[in-house]
Amino acid sequence: MISILYDVNRYRKFLNERVNDGNTVIELGPHLGESTKLYVEKTKLTVAVDKSSQSEKAFDKILPEFKNLRLVKGDARNFETIKKVMNLTQRCDVLAVDMGGGRFSDTVFKVWATWAGIFRPKHSVLRNRGLAEFIQRAEIHDESVIKEFPDDGWLAEWGRKTPYALEKQLKEFEFWVDL
Ligand SMILES: C[S@@+](CC[C@H](N)C(=O)[O-])C[C@H]1O[C@@H](n2cnc3c(N)ncnc32)[C@H](O)[C@@H]1O
């Protein structure tokens, strides 16, 4: 299942409901851990990934409370960050992505599709307004791509590749300007 939200409170609530006992969760963009703190206790392992120093500071306080929580400080667009997470887990049950609800939807999609292709979550939960708007407005007019897909949280097209093939796709970010 792939779920999209925009309102941050709804995102936090929905993510908490989506996480089941004993799950492994990868959360991209936890910021101060407000979303993480709601569900972390239920999980076998939670890996939070954020590039900001604010996040690192906040997690310095949260980490000692939960033995099953790890923070990887790094940019989610960088394959080095993915490798650090792969050293902690190869798969996850839930992949949550909140890089900012108004963040460029093309970036959020590419980050999500790459991470989901590698860690193959049962559920993906994304927070992004542009993607939500796209889904509401888009219609498929080509029967050749309308299929029964398994109800999981990653795209078959991306997930069939090896992590190192996906690394090449991430390289494209080097051409993107980060404002
Ligand atoms: C809106 S905040 C997340 C809020 C959080 N989900 C909550 O419920 O409180 C977005 C976070 O995404 C992080 N972020 C944005 N782009 C990122 C990237 N490329 N790699 C890693 N973290 C990123 C930011 O540092 C920030 O902490």
Side-chain angles (χ1 to χ4, degrees), residues 81-158:
T81 308
I82 292 179
K83 281 200 277 189
K84 284 183 194 164
V85 176
M86 283 171 76
N87 285 333
L88 297 169
T89 184
Q90 304 283 310
R91 295 294 274 259
C92 67
D93 299 291
V94 179
L95 173 65
V97 182
D98 178 6
M99 300 171 76
R103 180 90 188 170
F104 309 123
S105 40
D106 45 0
T107 303
V108 174
F109 177 81
K110 194 171 179 79
V111 164
W112 166 73
T114 307
W115 284 72
I118 292 170
F119 295 99
R120 300 183 188 186
K122 290 188 192 81
H123 302 289
S124 282
V125 182
L126 290 85
R127 181 173 169 250
N128 190 257
R129 185 165 49 187
L131 290 177
E133 186 182 337
F134 176 80
I135 289 164
Q136 286 178 80
R137 296 173 67 180
E139 279 180 3
I140 300 170
H141 291 278
D142 176 354
E143 283 177 11
S144 73
V145 291
I146 300 176
K147 296 177 196 157
E148 282 289 320
F149 287 109
D151 189 21
D152 48 24
W154 49 283
L155 297 185
E157 194 191 335
W158 291 62

Side-chain angles (χ1 to χ4, degrees), residues 8 11-12 27-36 49-52 54-55 74-77 98-101 103 107 111 127 178:
V8 73
Y11 169 82
R12 289 172 185 166
E27 185 180 348
L28 306 182
H31 195 222
L32 307 180
E34 294 303 311
S35 37
T36 323
V49 179
D50 206 293
K51 65 180 177 144
S52 82
Q54 275 181 329
S55 189
D75 195 311
R77 298 166 296 182
D98 178 6
M99 300 171 76
R103 180 90 188 170
T107 303
V111 164
R127 181 173 169 250
D178 190 352

Side-chain angles (χ1 to χ4, degrees), residues 37-102:
K37 282 189 276 187
L38 297 177
Y39 68 78
V40 60
E41 215 155 9
K42 290 189 270 183
T43 67
K44 184 174 149 206
L45 174 69
T46 294
V47 184
V49 179
D50 206 293
K51 65 180 177 144
S52 82
S53 305
Q54 275 181 329
S55 189
E56 193 178 30
K57 254 190 187 170
F59 271 78
D60 277 349
K61 288 192 187 138
I62 306 167
L63 284 166
E65 288 177 46
F66 303 101
K67 283 193 180 134
N68 53 344
L69 176 62
R70 303 281 180 282
L71 175 72
V72 171
K73 190 183 179 212
D75 195 311
R77 298 166 296 182
N78 186 333
F79 198 69
E80 291 308 308
T81 308
I82 292 179
K83 281 200 277 189
K84 284 183 194 164
V85 176
M86 283 171 76
N87 285 333
L88 297 169
T89 184
Q90 304 283 310
R91 295 294 274 259
C92 67
D93 299 291
V94 179
L95 173 65
V97 182
D98 178 6
M99 300 171 76

